[in-house]
Amino acid sequence: MLLVAPMKKLCLMVLASLTLVWPAKAMDNALRAGLLKLDPQTRLEQRCDAEVLDRITHDDHKYKADRVVAYAFATPEMSADAIRSPGAAFRSKGQWYRLKFKCQTAPDHMQILQLRYRIGDEIPETDWAKYNLYD
C-alpha cells in the first residue's frame, strides 16, 4: 500500500508529460501532411523556408524568426533539389533583416541535407513597402 501513492503520482506525471507533447507531435504530422500535398517545387521552397526560420531562432536566441521572403531582393535560383536565395529577408520580433541562404533537400524535399545561411543588416522600415515586407 505504501507504493500506491508514489506510483499514482508517477503515472500522473507521465500522463501530463504525454499530454503536453501530443499537440506538438500532431502539429508536426499536420505540417508533414500539408507539405506532401504541394507540388515538388513549392514543397522545396516551403520546406527550406521553414528550416531556415527554425535554424535562425535556434542558433541565435536574439532572433525569433517567424516569416521569410526568399525573393525580397532577388529571384531565388532553383535546381531539382536545392534553392539558393541571395536576396531573402526574414522577420524577427517585428523587424526585417536581410538574409542569404542555400538549402539542399532529399529528392522528396522533406529532409534537409544541407543548409547554410548568413544574416545581413536590418532593413529600415521605410523600405518595407518597396520590397513587399510587412509587420
Side-chain angles (χ1 to χ4, degrees):
M1 285 299 230
L2 294 176
L3 292 177
V4 172
M7 190 61 103
K8 185 176 179 181
K9 185 177 180 180
L10 177 63
C11 287
L12 288 174
M13 287 173 48
V14 169
L15 183 59
S17 296
L18 288 174
T19 303
L20 292 174
V21 170
W22 183 255
K25 183 66 174 161
M27 182 83 124
D28 289 344
N29 289 338
L31 176 61
R32 181 174 189 74
L35 286 170
L36 288 170
K37 292 178 183 177
L38 299 173
D39 66 88
Q41 183 174 355
T42 304
R43 184 183 315 142
L44 170 66
E45 293 173 32
Q46 293 295 314
R47 182 64 185 96
C48 287
D49 287 355
E51 187 69 19
V52 76
L53 289 174
D54 285 347
R55 296 261 184 107
I56 288 169
T57 299
H58 179 266
D59 293 348
D60 189 336
H61 295 292
K62 88 176 190 183
Y63 298 110
K64 186 169 174 59
D66 64 358
R67 177 138 166 74
V68 66
V69 178
Y71 51 83
F73 301 100
T75 302
E77 300 168 15
M78 306 285 292
S79 65
D81 298 326
I83 180 172
R84 182 177 165 273
S85 186
F90 77 95
R91 184 177 65 188
S92 172
K93 301 176 185 175
Q95 179 57 54
W96 286 93
Y97 300 86
R98 288 184 175 264
L99 174 69
K100 294 179 181 184
F101 71 90
K102 183 176 181 182
C103 175
Q104 182 180 1
T105 68
D108 69 354
H109 307 309
M110 295 301 290
Q111 179 184 5
I112 303 296
L113 300 178
Q114 183 179 50
L115 175 71
R116 291 187 302 227
Y117 70 90
R118 185 178 320 147
I119 296 172
D121 294 333
E122 188 175 304
I123 302 166
E125 190 170 353
T126 54
D127 291 347
W128 293 2
K130 179 172 33 173
Y131 299 108
N132 295 313
L133 305 174
Y134 56 89
D135 190 26

